[in-house]
Amino acid sequence: MNFFESIFLELGFSWTLSKLTPYLLMGLLGFMLVYTFHQRVTSGLKKWLSMSLIALLPFGTYFAFFPIYQGDFTNVHFQPEQLDTFPSKLTLNVVVLPSCPYCHETIKLMNNLIDRQPTLNIRYIVVAETKATMNAFKSKLNRRIKVVISKKPEDWIIMAQGGFPCMILSKDKKIIYAWENDHFGVRAIDDIVSRLK
């Protein structure tokens, strides 16, 4: 989540619209620049090329700094086999490995999510044998986010289908569905937030 997206979230936009709006505004800015400068260039080919470049420049620059990834606007989930117990309250279970760099990258997003949705229950399940591995996550996560060690590591690996991090949404002690890291984007977050209402 970048500065521009956080502004739209603060204004009450959904996570999806907050991600999409800056791209739309950059496209609109490009067309406004074309409208402003189109009379200054007279040559046909030169005008067409320069106006195309001006139109694409704001969007292209923003996209270069904040690219759109495959799972940003999708909500592709799967139904894992339930091999352990889950809380009764609506919970986003983040299944992580201690040495996984992508797992550590989820910390900023989950802290942001719990700040904006304090009624959401978020729980990190660290798939490891020792409790010492929890500290790397516990020290950086918001204290409202619970961090536990997996009691059945092999079962959590099966539920995550071997991909980490894996986000598993549960309610009433049952799995609703899960996302691989590549498919956990703003639409998935909006899906979770809509269930809190």
Side-chain angles (χ1 to χ4, degrees):
M1 167 133 315
N2 64 48
F3 170 75
F4 301 105
E5 293 169 16
S6 61
I7 288 173
F8 292 108
L9 266 179
E10 290 293 328
L11 291 172
F13 285 51
S14 69
W15 287 76
T16 302
L17 280 176
S18 296
K19 179 112 183 138
L20 187 61
T21 302
Y23 292 103
L24 296 174
L25 289 176
M26 290 301 131
L28 183 63
L29 177 62
F31 285 110
M32 288 172 61
L33 290 172
V34 167
Y35 181 76
T36 304
F37 294 108
H38 80 282
Q39 292 180 346
R40 295 185 184 192
V41 182
T42 54
S43 172
L45 181 59
K46 186 178 177 184
K47 183 174 186 171
W48 187 86
L49 288 172
S50 59
M51 290 303 109
S52 297
L53 181 63
I54 289 172
L56 295 174
L57 188 63
F59 181 88
T61 303
Y62 186 80
F63 184 83
F65 285 101
F66 308 108
I68 298 172
Y69 294 102
Q70 176 185 353
D72 282 345
F73 293 107
T74 63
N75 189 11
V76 178
H77 45 77
F78 64 93
Q79 188 64 50
E81 182 182 357
Q82 185 162 335
L83 301 171
D84 208 335
T85 57
F86 288 84
S88 55
K89 185 180 177 183
L90 181 71
T91 303
L92 179 60
N93 303 274
V94 185
V95 187
V96 295
L97 292 175
S99 60
C100 164
Y102 299 111
C103 297
H104 289 276
E105 287 176 11
T106 64
I107 291 171
K108 184 178 178 183
L109 174 63
M110 293 305 154
N111 282 339
N112 196 353
L113 183 56
I114 198 76
D115 285 341
R116 296 183 185 285
Q117 302 297 328
T119 59
L120 177 62
N121 191 26
I122 300 178
R123 177 175 75 144
Y124 268 66
I125 295 98
V126 183
V127 180
E129 299 288 337
T130 62
K131 287 190 175 184
T133 57
M134 292 179 2
N135 294 334
F137 291 96
K138 204 168 194 174
S139 63
K140 296 175 187 170
L141 283 165
N142 185 306
R143 56 190 156 154
R144 288 179 287 176
I145 298 175
K146 189 175 182 181
V147 182
V148 297
I149 195 87
S150 59
K151 294 176 184 169
K152 306 173 184 176
E154 297 84 9
D155 290 348
W156 283 99
I157 291 169
I158 292 167
M159 283 190 283
Q161 296 187 352
F164 297 94
C166 176
M167 288 62 163
I168 301 175
L169 188 64
S170 65
K171 188 175 182 181
D172 300 326
K173 300 185 178 183
K174 294 179 182 172
I175 293 174
I176 298 173
Y177 40 69
W179 296 268
E180 295 173 359
N181 186 45
D182 291 344
H183 297 287
F184 189 77
V186 288
R187 286 195 53 214
I189 294 172
D190 280 337
D191 184 356
I192 295 167
V193 170
S194 70
R195 293 170 184 271
L196 292 170
K197 297 174 183 174

